[in-house]
Amino acid sequence: MNVFILGGDARYIEVIQLLAEHGMMVYVTGYDSLPQSKPNIIASDMEKAPMEKIDAILLPVQGTDQDGKVETMETRQEIYLTEKWLRKTSNHCVIYTGVANEYLETLAAETKRQLVCLFHRDDLAIYNSIPTAEATLKIAIDETDTTIHGAKVAVIGFGRVGQTVARLFYQVGANVTVAARKSAHFARLTELGMTPISFDELEAFAGEMDLFINTVPALVITENIINKMKKDPVIIDLASKPGGTDFHIAEKLGIKAIHALGLPGKTAPKTAGQIIGKVLLHLLREQQAESR
Amino acid sequence: MNVFILGGDARYIEVIQLLAEHGMMVYVTGYDSLPQSKPNIIASDMEKAPMEKIDAILLPVQGTDQDGKVETMETRQEIYLTEKWLRKTSNHCVIYTGVANEYLETLAAETKRQLVCLFHRDDLAIYNSIPTAEATLKIAIDETDTTIHGAKVAVIGFGRVGQTVARLFYQVGANVTVAARKSAHFARLTELGMTPISFDELEAFAGEMDLFINTVPALVITENIINKMKKDPVIIDLASKPGGTDFHIAEKLGIKAIHALGLPGKTAPKTAGQIIGKVLLHLLREQQAESR
Amino acid sequence: MNVFILGGDARYIEVIQLLAEHGMMVYVTGYDSLPQSKPNIIASDMEKAPMEKIDAILLPVQGTDQDGKVETMETRQEIYLTEKWLRKTSNHCVIYTGVANEYLETLAAETKRQLVCLFHRDDLAIYNSIPTAEATLKIAIDETDTTIHGAKVAVIGFGRVGQTVARLFYQVGANVTVAARKSAHFARLTELGMTPISFDELEAFAGEMDLFINTVPALVITENIINKMKKDPVIIDLASKPGGTDFHIAEKLGIKAIHALGLPGKTAPKTAGQIIGKVLLHLLREQQAESR
Amino acid sequence: MNVFILGGDARYIEVIQLLAEHGMMVYVTGYDSLPQSKPNIIASDMEKAPMEKIDAILLPVQGTDQDGKVETMETRQEIYLTEKWLRKTSNHCVIYTGVANEYLETLAAETKRQLVCLFHRDDLAIYNSIPTAEATLKIAIDETDTTIHGAKVAVIGFGRVGQTVARLFYQVGANVTVAARKSAHFARLTELGMTPISFDELEAFAGEMDLFINTVPALVITENIINKMKKDPVIIDLASKPGGTDFHIAEKLGIKAIHALGLPGKTAPKTAGQIIGKVLLHLLREQQAESR
Ligand SMILES: NC(=O)c1ccc[n+]([C@@H]2O[C@H](COP(=O)([O-])OP(=O)(O)OC[C@H]3O[C@@H](n4cnc5c(N)ncnc54)[C@H](OP(=O)(O)O)[C@@H]3O)[C@@H](O)[C@H]2O)c1
Ligand SMILES: NC(=O)c1ccc[n+]([C@@H]2O[C@H](COP(=O)([O-])OP(=O)(O)OC[C@H]3O[C@@H](n4cnc5c(N)ncnc54)[C@H](OP(=O)(O)O)[C@@H]3O)[C@@H](O)[C@H]2O)c1
Ligand SMILES: NC(=O)c1ccc[n+]([C@@H]2O[C@H](COP(=O)([O-])OP(=O)(O)OC[C@H]3O[C@@H](n4cnc5c(N)ncnc54)[C@H](OP(=O)(O)O)[C@@H]3O)[C@@H](O)[C@H]2O)c1
Ligand SMILES: NC(=O)c1ccc[n+]([C@@H]2O[C@H](COP(=O)([O-])OP(=O)(O)OC[C@H]3O[C@@H](n4cnc5c(N)ncnc54)[C@H](OP(=O)(O)O)[C@@H]3O)[C@@H](O)[C@H]2O)c1
């Protein structure tokens, strides 16, 4: 298959290599330097590639801006994803991006190209939860003056990130309590040996916790809960902006609250790249299988 | 709350006690002897209870037969759930059963009583997966002449039972491969340290496995796969009838295949009863909260 | 190397195969039938083997009786290990046995042959603790009417068997308390997430335990302790005869106490054989390296 | 009991509190400020305490220097442990210190006071291995650009620190290989699900490892081994000075090698203090029991 990669950040170096290793022909634009060049990695001008043969386009994790501009690691040149250029690809060409916006969705609709948001996929979110959880653990070790082993940790939310975070802290020897709302989550947590509580119970448990880790994208660490905290705990909030913590109150009460975002790319950029590459490769193969 | 329990098996002794311990008034019929009688456990004739005060009725795990007959632990008397009797309860009375049939559904519809199937619930299925997995482990230890520690185990399916079984064998030191079909399951299995494979790959892996545990209620351990088995493995099939194994072929090839059903009640009847009691209690409280 | 195997039980089939697979020339006597014969497995009369080339002799796990008689799987013939026969081997020939007795020790001393008791070795005891622990788990699942997951389990002793048993029950989800006497064991148990108690504290904890597993070869589950048991627990005693339980009192009080001996050979004979083979192979190679 | 604490670092705040909480009368000198004063914590001049009632003296982790000078958290005053002062205590008074030197040993011998080195104790070393391992994990997360989950980690040595470190990295999802020399360690590692190798095999495995963690206080990561490293790994050396790594060669080859010492006090000072307090409390109670 022929894949055209348009820009991207450091993680994409791993993606490019992985695709090439697995026999894809990879055209890339927007990189000053490429890793040990392989015959099937081709630094290519947008206009010079054999567009009609391109089966897939990969955009950066952030997709494009509202003008179609694409983020690159190279500074000399500006790259735009345009309708005209896209129309040169064959009809079955699929656009892969981390996340989408209106510009991209409109473009895809008009050119009748399939648009796939990698970061909306369950599998990618779960793979990414691994570096996220490790980075959270690192922050927790750094920010507390006790060991995590033996600490009382409240994990809030038991979704894709919450499950991995809760399990990691449990494995490290913490005493893990998880706030969840589905009865099936209560059952699974019991099986896993952790203590499930409802969101209503958080307030009552707040006083004995050493560490709070939030994964719910809604205000869950409220003023009431923060008021009940006794052990001078650390709060690590992983939920995307604005997070799930009343940071204002935390600050007022002198409780350390850290809003830690974008963790996979920070602590484990190589793994983060491999994850994107792995999921993309899987999708390209499915695409290939279907097209036959 | 007032609960009327109509028949049931040994597990219900635990249910009765749990409800009573948590302050419910429990009327029971169909038991020769009851555990250390408490003031709020009342052995009651169906006709003599204060029916208009009854908030909930609990039927046996199997519900009723097509004539409304209810299974009991007592042999002298036959118990039937009739429309007439049911109409004596207040309108908000909920019927709890393990599973339902047409008779029950019709009865509930006609009397406008809510019918809740406990065994269709996710939480109950997950709690029950714990005794199921332990019983499976016991069978595996019994039926192999090696330890499970270090054995190559293929778990087929990663649903409620599959997840618990896979994790238990992993914890015990087995080398666990899991056949799944969702990409999110592949990601979660990776996080858990197990090896995910697709159903297509099962055939290729069959030759090196010491033990197969099936949890998928569809024919998945097919003739082709059985033909590839080399290590004289043991197959334990947990899926409800007819199971997911070509038992005929397994027998022909001299491969030990065990269809192990109804495990929770067999190896851990007390825990199985507590599970039903725990979930029922949770539902009764929700019912109570709603009715206020 | 040339190894002469004199008798043995079912486990030795594995030993013979393992040695042969690793290039040893294996002479065996006392077996009616041998597994798929390989060129380097030779069923040999005691008198017909090239004795001067024999580097090692392997006796059964039980060694010999006081007359030098060796246990075999074959019934037609009686086999004796005699001084005369032993003297035919080269001086560096080593005698490996499971355990020794006076007869063997005298014989070895007089013929100046090194005598190695495999079952006195730490590594073999630890490897064997794996099937022992699994068999114990199986008994526990069988003999209780609850799951081990969530059960309160007291493991007594934290030696080679105790460590493996405690960890296995912990991994399966039990709440594990371990009675130990070394402060280093208390520290290690804390690290492992289990609850260490002293032997003095056993009595105070006895009332809340569901299961007792003893690994200490001394009377530790005393009358006083048994008297305090409340939850109608199960006692599994693994310590070699006479065990560490006051069985008499347990019986009198109607508490189920099981003295479970010889477990590795019972539940996992193949693994038990592989363990002996693995340790023997390791020793033979050391012997070979030294003799060069 | 009456304990006199002479100096110490931040960890001793925890020690003081723990002893006081458990009913000891604690005289302290060398602290500018003390935590929420309790009636049984007495800031005391060395000369003013009721010396004849003192049952135990606690010196800082480092003991004294060769002149008897004791490290304190306070800067205005210099504190010395002298023979004259020591002679004022009762005969049964025990001197507890982290480590000892000639000065201390002579002093103890001459005054016939028992001298106990807390840091030579197995239990303290094992408790301390927990914060050490966590700090090592933190460094590993920081210094690699991949996750530890899925990484190939070689732990060298399987003593008190090695066991905890190996298990922690294993729990976090690393693929752990441990270099050990005792056959019993090989067996235990097998039980734990890790891969044991001999020190001779390290060279052969070096090429595939992502991370090396040394716990052996002898040169074990030699030039030969470093030469075989391929994956641009990180070396974390925990062994006390001079460590077990040929740092010179590592630097020459551009391999990141970190000599990480004094970890417990750095990442988890509070836990480190609690550990000292816990072990000391245990010893004081033993001392008390014996004196009766
Ligand atoms: N910091 C980082 O580096 C990083 C990395 C990855 C993800 N994230 C962020 O982390 C958050 C979680 O991601 P995810 O993949 O775990 O999402 P997810 O799988 O959707 O999980 C979200 C969890 O939040 C719970 N939840 C949502 N709304 C709730 C509410 N109003 N009350 C109570 N619970 C509620 C959900 O409960 P139910 O299951 O009951 O619905 C679910 O358990 C997102 O904001 C994501 O952007 C951050
Ligand atoms: N033996 C016992 O004592 C015992 C105890 C409890 C339950 N059970 C039985 O065990 C079985 C599983 O129960 P459960 O609660 O785990 O159910 P579940 O949560 O629905 O899981 C079923 C699993 O099977 C997979 N699956 C279903 N149809 C498939 C197909 N055609 N091809 C491939 N995979 C398929 C599902 O995959 P997806 O997730 O991809 O959909 C899912 O992972 C049921 O038959 C149940 O009655 C037996
Ligand atoms: N049932 C089976 O199939 C089976 C299989 C294997 C072994 N076994 C038997 O199991 C027993 C344990 O074997 P093992 O290999 O674990 O032995 P081990 O390593 O010597 O361990 C024995 C443990 O017992 C403790 N202990 C000994 N005497 C004690 C006393 N008087 N009071 C308190 N604790 C005491 C020791 O404590 P310290 O560490 O403090 O000294 C140690 O923790 C033996 O009897 C062995 O024959 C049975
Ligand atoms: N960085 C920190 O913050 C920190 C914290 C605590 C400790 N430490 C240091 O870490 C080191 C280990 O401490 P520990 O408590 O684990 O000590 P330990 O229990 O004595 O363990 C040392 C290990 O090294 C092995 N070993 C010793 N000499 C060897 C040699 N020549 N060749 C091969 N293996 C050898 C021993 O093997 P055998 O078991 O076979 O004898 C043992 O497994 C010490 O230097 C200690 O000071 C550092």
Side-chain angles (χ1 to χ4, degrees):
Chain A
M1 290 182 89
N2 300 300
V3 183
F4 201 114
I5 299 186
L6 236 71
D9 59 35
R11 289 174 276 184
Y12 275 45
I13 306 292
E14 290 296 321
V15 178
I16 294 167
Q17 278 183 306
L18 204 79
L19 297 189
E21 272 165 28
H22 286 82
M24 308 279 162
M25 182 68 68
V26 190
Y27 297 87
V28 296
T29 202
Y31 292 80
D32 286 324
S33 65
L34 277 175
Q36 318 105 330
S37 58
K38 294 184 187 143
N40 51 344
I41 301 180
I42 298 168
S44 165
D45 215 287
M46 280 184 77
E47 299 311 323
K48 288 186 187 145
M51 291 310 295
E52 65 294 346
K53 287 198 206 154
I54 295 297
D55 304 295
I57 289 169
L58 175 64
L59 301 176
V61 167
Q62 296 307 333
T64 66
D65 69 9
Q66 285 298 358
D67 303 323
K69 194 177 149 192
V70 157
E71 181 198 23
T72 66
M73 291 186 72
E74 177 191 27
T75 43
R76 282 161 307 164
Q77 195 192 343
E78 295 207 332
I79 296 181
Y80 286 83
L81 176 68
T82 63
E83 186 174 335
K84 195 176 144 207
W85 185 76
L86 203 55
R87 287 209 184 277
K88 294 186 189 167
T89 61
S90 74
N91 291 343
H92 71 263
C93 177
V94 178
I95 310 167
Y96 296 96
T97 179
V99 294
N101 58 7
E102 230 191 284
Y103 177 86
L104 264 180
E105 274 158 14
T106 311
L107 196 65
E110 281 175 4
T111 56
K112 293 196 176 130
R113 298 293 185 275
Q114 197 193 332
L115 178 68
V116 176
C117 294
L118 298 173
F119 276 55
H120 289 179
R121 288 180 57 87
D122 252 13
D123 57 354
L124 200 138
I126 294 172
Y127 285 123
N128 256 341
S129 72
I130 304 174
T132 302
E134 267 189 28
T136 307
L137 177 58
K138 188 209 97 133
I139 296 171
I141 298 174
D142 259 342
E143 298 291 341
T144 57
D145 51 5
T146 57
T147 52
I148 303 310
H149 185 278
K152 294 201 165 175
V153 179
V155 174
I156 300 159
F158 198 58
R160 296 166 305 188
V161 172
Q163 286 178 39
T164 305
V165 166
R167 237 181 53 78
L168 180 60
F169 279 77
Y170 178 84
Q171 292 284 100
V172 162
N175 198 321
V176 180
T177 299
V178 179
R181 55 183 185 183
K182 288 186 182 139
S183 63
H185 284 166
F186 270 63
R188 185 54 71 192
L189 281 160
T190 303
E191 185 258 314
L192 288 164
M194 301 186 222
T195 307
I197 60 171
S198 67
F199 281 81
D200 290 346
E201 291 171 291
L202 256 178
E203 211 177 307
F205 277 78
E208 45 183 87
M209 294 293 156
D210 300 304
L211 183 61
F212 291 82
I213 304 172
N214 177 49
T215 72
V216 171
L219 183 63
V220 285
I221 307 194
T222 57
E223 175 162 1
N224 281 348
I225 291 173
I226 298 178
N227 271 322
K228 295 280 159 51
M229 296 181 183
K230 278 195 203 115
K231 299 179 87 177
D232 203 15
V234 173
I235 300 170
I236 304 175
D237 197 333
L238 303 177
S240 51
K241 280 179 195 160
T245 306
D246 190 331
F247 286 103
H248 187 69
I249 289 293
E251 202 189 346
K252 223 176 86 183
L253 296 179
I255 286 178
K256 206 188 279 182
I258 297 157
H259 200 179
L261 296 178
L263 297 178
K266 281 181 197 159
T267 353
K270 193 168 166 177
T271 300
Q274 286 163 346
I275 288 170
I276 298 170
K278 186 173 169 174
V279 171
L280 180 60
L281 195 64
H282 173 74
L283 292 174
L284 291 172
R285 281 179 173 160
E286 278 190 2
Q287 184 187 330
Q288 194 171 24
E290 275 161 27
S291 76
R292 274 199 219 114
Chain B
M1 289 184 88
N2 300 300
V3 184
F4 201 113
I5 299 186
L6 238 72
D9 58 36
R11 287 174 278 182
Y12 275 44
I13 305 293
E14 291 295 321
V15 178
I16 293 167
Q17 278 182 307
L18 204 78
L19 296 190
E21 272 165 26
H22 287 81
M24 308 276 163
M25 182 66 69
V26 191
Y27 297 87
V28 296
T29 203
Y31 291 80
D32 285 325
S33 65
L34 278 176
Q36 317 104 328
S37 57
K38 294 184 186 143
N40 51 344
I41 302 181
I42 299 168
S44 165
D45 215 287
M46 280 183 78
E47 301 309 324
K48 291 190 185 140
M51 290 311 294
E52 66 294 345
K53 290 197 205 153
I54 296 296
D55 305 294
I57 288 169
L58 175 65
L59 300 177
V61 169
Q62 296 308 331
T64 66
D65 71 8
Q66 285 298 356
D67 302 324
K69 194 177 153 191
V70 158
E71 183 198 22
T72 66
M73 290 187 72
E74 175 191 31
T75 41
R76 282 162 308 163
Q77 195 191 345
E78 294 207 330
I79 294 181
Y80 285 84
L81 176 69
T82 62
E83 186 175 333
K84 194 177 146 209
W85 186 77
L86 203 53
R87 287 204 186 277
K88 295 185 189 165
T89 61
S90 73
N91 290 345
H92 71 262
C93 178
V94 178
I95 310 166
Y96 296 95
T97 178
V99 294
N101 59 5
E102 231 191 282
Y103 178 85
L104 265 180
E105 275 158 12
T106 311
L107 196 64
E110 281 175 3
T111 57
K112 294 196 176 130
R113 298 293 185 276
Q114 197 193 334
L115 179 67
V116 175
C117 293
L118 298 172
F119 276 55
H120 288 180
R121 289 179 57 86
D122 252 13
D123 57 353
L124 200 138
I126 294 172
Y127 286 122
N128 255 341
S129 72
I130 303 174
T132 303
E134 266 188 28
T136 307
L137 177 59
K138 189 209 97 132
I139 296 171
I141 297 174
D142 259 341
E143 298 290 341
T144 56
D145 52 6
T146 57
T147 51
I148 303 309
H149 185 277
K152 294 201 166 177
V153 178
V155 174
I156 299 158
F158 197 59
R160 296 167 305 191
V161 172
Q163 287 179 38
T164 305
V165 166
R167 237 179 54 78
L168 180 60
F169 279 76
Y170 178 84
Q171 292 285 97
V172 162
N175 198 321
V176 179
T177 300
V178 178
R181 56 183 184 181
K182 288 185 182 139
S183 62
H185 284 166
F186 269 63
R188 186 54 70 193
L189 282 160
T190 303
E191 185 258 315
L192 289 165
M194 302 186 221
T195 308
I197 61 170
S198 67
F199 282 82
D200 290 347
E201 291 170 292
L202 256 179
E203 210 177 306
F205 278 77
E208 45 183 86
M209 294 294 155
D210 300 304
L211 182 62
F212 292 81
I213 303 172
N214 178 48
T215 71
V216 172
L219 183 63
V220 285
I221 306 194
T222 57
E223 174 161 4
N224 280 349
I225 291 172
I226 298 177
N227 271 322
K228 294 280 158 52
M229 295 180 184
K230 277 194 203 113
K231 299 178 87 176
D232 202 13
V234 173
I235 300 171
I236 304 176
D237 197 334
L238 302 178
S240 52
K241 277 178 194 159
T245 307
D246 190 331
F247 286 102
H248 188 70
I249 289 294
E251 201 190 349
K252 223 176 87 184
L253 295 180
I255 285 178
K256 203 188 282 184
I258 297 157
H259 200 178
L261 296 178
L263 296 178
K266 280 182 197 158
T267 354
K270 193 168 166 179
T271 300
Q274 286 163 345
I275 288 170
I276 297 171
K278 185 173 169 173
V279 171
L280 180 60
L281 196 63
H282 173 75
L283 292 174
L284 290 173
R285 281 176 174 163
E286 277 190 2
Q287 184 187 331
Q288 195 171 21
E290 276 162 27
S291 76
R292 275 198 219 116
Chain C
M1 289 183 89
N2 300 299
V3 184
F4 201 113
I5 298 185
L6 237 72
D9 59 35
R11 289 173 276 182
Y12 275 44
I13 305 292
E14 291 295 320
V15 178
I16 294 167
Q17 278 182 307
L18 203 78
L19 296 189
E21 272 165 26
H22 287 81
M24 308 277 162
M25 181 66 69
V26 191
Y27 297 87
V28 296
T29 203
Y31 292 80
D32 285 324
S33 65
L34 277 176
Q36 317 104 327
S37 57
K38 294 183 187 146
N40 52 345
I41 301 180
I42 299 167
S44 166
D45 214 287
M46 280 183 78
E47 299 311 323
K48 286 185 189 145
M51 290 309 293
E52 66 293 346
K53 288 199 207 152
I54 296 296
D55 304 295
I57 289 169
L58 174 64
L59 300 176
V61 167
Q62 296 307 333
T64 67
D65 71 9
Q66 284 298 356
D67 303 322
K69 194 177 152 191
V70 158
E71 182 199 22
T72 65
M73 290 186 71
E74 175 190 33
T75 42
R76 282 161 308 162
Q77 196 192 343
E78 295 207 332
I79 295 181
Y80 285 83
L81 175 69
T82 62
E83 185 175 334
K84 196 177 144 204
W85 185 77
L86 203 54
R87 286 206 185 277
K88 294 185 189 166
T89 61
S90 74
N91 290 343
H92 71 263
C93 178
V94 178
I95 311 167
Y96 296 95
T97 179
V99 293
N101 58 6
E102 229 191 286
Y103 177 85
L104 264 180
E105 274 159 13
T106 311
L107 196 65
E110 279 176 5
T111 56
K112 295 198 174 125
R113 298 293 185 275
Q114 198 194 331
L115 178 67
V116 176
C117 294
L118 297 173
F119 276 55
H120 288 179
R121 289 180 57 86
D122 253 13
D123 56 354
L124 200 138
I126 294 171
Y127 286 123
N128 255 340
S129 72
I130 303 174
T132 302
E134 267 188 27
T136 306
L137 177 58
K138 188 208 97 132
I139 296 171
I141 297 174
D142 259 342
E143 298 290 340
T144 56
D145 51 5
T146 57
T147 51
I148 302 310
H149 184 277
K152 294 201 165 177
V153 179
V155 174
I156 299 158
F158 198 59
R160 297 166 306 190
V161 172
Q163 287 178 38
T164 306
V165 166
R167 239 180 52 78
L168 180 60
F169 279 76
Y170 177 84
Q171 292 284 100
V172 162
N175 198 321
V176 180
T177 299
V178 178
R181 56 182 183 182
K182 288 186 182 139
S183 63
H185 284 167
F186 270 63
R188 186 54 70 194
L189 281 159
T190 303
E191 186 258 316
L192 289 164
M194 302 186 221
T195 308
I197 60 171
S198 68
F199 281 82
D200 289 346
E201 292 172 291
L202 256 177
E203 211 177 305
F205 278 78
E208 44 182 87
M209 294 293 155
D210 300 303
L211 183 61
F212 292 80
I213 304 172
N214 177 48
T215 71
V216 172
L219 183 63
V220 285
I221 306 194
T222 58
E223 174 162 2
N224 280 348
I225 291 172
I226 298 178
N227 270 323
K228 294 279 159 53
M229 296 181 183
K230 279 195 202 114
K231 299 179 85 177
D232 202 15
V234 172
I235 300 170
I236 305 176
D237 197 334
L238 303 176
S240 52
K241 278 178 197 159
T245 307
D246 190 330
F247 287 102
H248 187 70
I249 289 293
E251 202 189 347
K252 223 176 86 184
L253 296 180
I255 286 177
K256 205 188 279 183
I258 298 157
H259 200 179
L261 296 178
L263 296 178
K266 281 182 196 157
T267 354
K270 193 167 166 179
T271 300
Q274 286 163 345
I275 288 170
I276 298 170
K278 185 174 170 173
V279 171
L280 181 59
L281 195 64
H282 173 76
L283 292 175
L284 291 172
R285 279 175 174 165
E286 277 191 2
Q287 183 187 332
Q288 195 170 23
E290 275 161 26
S291 78
R292 273 197 219 118
Chain D
M1 289 183 90
N2 301 299
V3 184
F4 201 113
I5 299 186
L6 237 71
D9 58 34
R11 288 174 276 182
Y12 276 43
I13 305 293
E14 291 296 321
V15 178
I16 293 168
Q17 278 182 306
L18 204 78
L19 296 190
E21 272 165 26
H22 287 81
M24 308 278 162
M25 182 65 69
V26 191
Y27 297 86
V28 296
T29 204
Y31 292 79
D32 285 325
S33 65
L34 277 176
Q36 317 104 330
S37 57
K38 293 183 187 145
N40 51 344
I41 301 180
I42 299 168
S44 167
D45 215 287
M46 280 182 76
E47 299 310 324
K48 290 188 187 144
M51 291 311 295
E52 65 293 345
K53 289 198 204 152
I54 296 296
D55 304 294
I57 290 169
L58 175 65
L59 300 176
V61 169
Q62 296 307 332
T64 65
D65 71 8
Q66 284 299 353
D67 302 323
K69 195 178 151 190
V70 158
E71 183 198 22
T72 65
M73 291 186 73
E74 175 190 31
T75 40
R76 283 162 306 165
Q77 196 192 343
E78 295 206 332
I79 295 181
Y80 285 84
L81 175 70
T82 63
E83 186 176 331
K84 197 179 143 204
W85 186 76
L86 204 54
R87 285 206 186 278
K88 295 185 189 166
T89 61
S90 74
N91 290 343
H92 71 262
C93 177
V94 178
I95 311 167
Y96 296 95
T97 178
V99 295
N101 59 6
E102 231 191 283
Y103 178 85
L104 265 180
E105 274 158 13
T106 311
L107 196 65
E110 280 176 4
T111 56
K112 293 198 176 128
R113 299 292 185 276
Q114 197 193 332
L115 179 67
V116 175
C117 294
L118 298 172
F119 276 55
H120 289 180
R121 290 179 57 88
D122 252 13
D123 56 355
L124 200 138
I126 294 172
Y127 286 122
N128 256 340
S129 73
I130 303 174
T132 303
E134 267 188 27
T136 307
L137 177 58
K138 189 209 97 133
I139 297 171
I141 297 174
D142 259 342
E143 298 291 341
T144 56
D145 51 6
T146 57
T147 52
I148 302 311
H149 185 278
K152 294 201 166 176
V153 178
V155 174
I156 300 159
F158 197 59
R160 296 166 305 190
V161 172
Q163 286 179 38
T164 305
V165 166
R167 237 179 54 77
L168 180 61
F169 279 76
Y170 177 85
Q171 292 286 99
V172 162
N175 198 320
V176 180
T177 300
V178 178
R181 56 184 183 182
K182 289 187 182 137
S183 63
H185 284 167
F186 270 64
R188 186 54 70 192
L189 282 159
T190 303
E191 185 258 315
L192 289 164
M194 303 185 220
T195 308
I197 61 171
S198 68
F199 282 80
D200 290 347
E201 291 170 291
L202 255 178
E203 211 177 306
F205 278 78
E208 44 182 87
M209 294 294 154
D210 299 304
L211 182 62
F212 292 81
I213 302 172
N214 178 49
T215 72
V216 172
L219 183 63
V220 285
I221 307 195
T222 57
E223 175 161 3
N224 280 348
I225 291 172
I226 297 178
N227 271 320
K228 294 280 158 53
M229 296 180 182
K230 278 195 203 113
K231 299 179 86 176
D232 202 14
V234 172
I235 300 171
I236 304 176
D237 197 334
L238 303 178
S240 51
K241 280 178 194 159
T245 307
D246 190 331
F247 287 101
H248 188 71
I249 289 293
E251 202 190 348
K252 224 176 86 184
L253 296 179
I255 286 178
K256 204 188 281 183
I258 297 157
H259 200 178
L261 296 178
L263 296 178
K266 281 182 198 158
T267 355
K270 193 167 166 179
T271 299
Q274 286 163 345
I275 288 170
I276 297 171
K278 185 174 170 173
V279 171
L280 180 60
L281 195 64
H282 173 76
L283 292 175
L284 290 173
R285 281 176 175 163
E286 278 189 3
Q287 183 187 331
Q288 192 170 25
E290 274 161 27
S291 77
R292 273 195 220 121

